[in-house]
């Protein structure tokens, strides 16, 4: 007896879709799923660290909180605009970027995206491994790391539906867990003493903004992967606001907690998991579970997004439009195995260095977002020739040198303004450490790319989907090589 993997994927068992467009017959869910997914993914320990770093880097508590809030809002707008593309296109985020960069040209930022996924997933695996070991009394660091890696692989293999379920669970668990931790913090520390310890400085304010804006924009390369199953009729506004709200609210809450913890002088940065367990007191085991749940959500996003990015890169050169269930499984397991090995083999110093390197790589995502969003909303105006995204000889070609040049320029223009652990630019030094690199890149890249793209982009007059139409497509109709049909954009 044969098993129809497409039917399994659409019925909620194991997802079978990879880089191909999701047909209307398999679309499901409501925009509220975006809220819980991104709330759960951000209400977690690494976001707390991000908030604490604002204080470590010199900001007064209230300055840090306000800077983080503005950065979260601005970065969240960029991130949510990417999410809103999902229902319209039904495509993974990095496949849709072939519109701007070309079928093969889109691979340039993809390699750096993969490094980011590995770095964040490995550091998350270490933290969750520590929490698992403390929960069950294991003494070998490898035990918790391997258990967490296995959990990540399981959820990522099952795919889209289970990832959203984990997001909903993490949202509830995160609210309860962090609510309890906040209560404990207020009872064990004089929280009001955290404020007014240092004078306001623009440098520390802008650094806080950069920390949270960068945090939000790391999701840009894969955020539409989790909205692409929503029905085509889903409004852009609904997808935008639910994604924005879930990501910004939870990030701000977690980062504010981190600001207070750091400003109060608590021993959090050096022993993150241990401190939260101590703060929880008799409910330490429960808080370790909260840590694992929150990190599981975001690590599954990294694993899922990581394998999708690898497939997108590979398919640009072998012209595949879909991959088998076996290939999908192997790519996911391979990616998770790499992150587990990095977590096992790396020393704590290496992880810190690697994480700094990953943060430096964030400079590549700001101009990528600028090019993608300007083109999608202002130049192409949501009209895409989807079959051409899989053909390097088609409308979008192999390389779009206009977009690639603007992208590289957007990276280079940031260099003088960067202030990060691995590099501090001369203009950042002149501004007392203020990092405005992402703002400069976002503005300059957008202003340069828009007029050039208006003249050079080959925009279709209508939205072009694969044949047959999405509403008539069954789970087994997976070949984009056939005829196409057009739908008037509206």
């Amino acid at each position: 007896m044969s098993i129809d993997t497409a039917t399994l994927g659409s019925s909620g068992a194991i997802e079978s879709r990879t880089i191909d467009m999701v047909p209307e017959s398999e679309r499901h869910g409501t925009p509220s799923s975006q809220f819980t997914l991104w709330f759960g993914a951000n209400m977690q320990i690494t976001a707390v660290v991000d908030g604490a770093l604002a204080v470590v880097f010199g900001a007064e508590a209230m300055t840090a909180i306000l800077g983080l809030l503005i950065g979260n809002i601005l970065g969240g707008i960029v991130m949510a605009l990417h999410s809103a593309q999902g229902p319209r296109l039904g495509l993974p985020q990095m496949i849709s970027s072939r519109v701007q960069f070309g079928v093969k040209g889109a691979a340039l930022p993809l390699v750096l995206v993969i490094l980011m996924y590995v770095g964040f997933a490995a550091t998350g695996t270490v933290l969750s491994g520590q929490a698992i070991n403390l929960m069950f009394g294991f003494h070998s660091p490898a035990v918790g790391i391997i258990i967490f890696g296995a959990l990540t692989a399981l959820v990522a293999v099952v795919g889209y539906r289970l990832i959203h379920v984990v997001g909903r669970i993490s949202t509830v668990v995160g609210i309860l867990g962090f609510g309890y931790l906040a209560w404990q913090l207020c009872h064990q520390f004089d929280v009001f003493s955290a404020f007014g310890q240092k004078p306001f400085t623009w440098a520390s304010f802008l650094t806080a903004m950069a920390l949270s804006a960068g945090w939000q924009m790391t999701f840009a390369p894969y955020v539409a992967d989790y909205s692409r199953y929503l029905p085509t009729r889903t409004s852009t506004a609904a997808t935008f606001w639910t994604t924005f709200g879930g990501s910004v609210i939870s990030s701000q809450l977690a980062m504010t907690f981190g600001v207070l913890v750091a400003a109060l002088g608590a021993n959090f940065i050096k022993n993150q998991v241990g401190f939260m367990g101590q703060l929880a007191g008799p409910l330490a085991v429960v808080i370790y579970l909260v840590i694992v749940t929150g990190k599981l959500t975001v690590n599954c996003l990294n694993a899922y997004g990581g394998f999708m990015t690898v497939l997108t890169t590979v398919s640009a050169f072998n012209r595949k439009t879909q991959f088998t269930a076996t290939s999908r499984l192997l790519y996911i397991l391979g990616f998770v195995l790499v992150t587990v090995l990095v977590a096992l083999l790396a020393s704590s110093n290496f992880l810190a260095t690697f994480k700094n390197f990953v943060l430096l790589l964030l400079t590549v995502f700001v101009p990528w977002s600028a090019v993608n969003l300007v083109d999608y909303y202002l130049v192409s105006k949501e009209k895409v020739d989807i079959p051409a995204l899989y053909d390097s000889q088609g409308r979008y070609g192999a390389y779009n040198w206009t977009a690639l040049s603007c992208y590289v320029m957007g990276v280079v223009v940031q260099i003088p303004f960067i202030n990060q652990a691995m590099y501090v630019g001369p203009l950042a030094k002149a501004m007392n450490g203020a990092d405005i690199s992402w703002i400069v890149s976002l503005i300059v890249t957008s202003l340069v790319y828009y007029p050039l793209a208006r003249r050079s982009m080959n925009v279709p007059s209508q939205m072009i989907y694969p044949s047959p139409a999405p509403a008539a497509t069954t789970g087994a109709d997976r070949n984009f090589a056939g005829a196409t049909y057009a739908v008037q954009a509206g």
Side-chain angles (χ1 to χ4, degrees), residues 366-367 370-371 374 406-407 409-414 417 436-452:
V366 176
V371 169
V374 168
C406 290
Y407 169 74
M409 178 209 65
V411 174
V412 173
V413 76
Q414 296 178 74
F417 300 93
I436 60 171
S437 57
W438 64 280
I439 300 175
V440 172
S441 180
L442 198 63
I443 294 173
V444 172
T445 306
S446 299
L447 292 178
V448 173
Y449 175 74
Y450 176 71
L452 295 176

Side-chain angles (χ1 to χ4, degrees), residues 176-250:
L176 294 175
F178 276 92
Y180 173 74
L181 286 173
W183 183 81
Q184 285 287 82
L185 189 70
C186 291
H187 279 72
Q188 295 182 31
F189 294 87
D190 178 9
V191 174
F192 290 104
S193 68
F195 299 97
Q197 296 178 356
K198 305 173 186 177
F200 171 87
T201 65
W202 280 107
S204 62
F205 178 76
L206 291 170
T207 297
M209 279 181 58
L211 283 169
S212 54
W215 174 274
Q216 294 293 338
M217 285 188 279
T218 59
F219 297 119
Y222 63 38
V223 60
D225 295 4
Y226 307 99
S227 60
R228 76 189 197 279
Y229 277 88
L230 291 175
T232 306
R233 65 179 180 275
T234 306
S235 74
T236 297
T239 308
F240 174 90
W241 286 113
T242 50
T243 302
F244 176 86
S247 188
V248 171
I249 292 172
S250 57

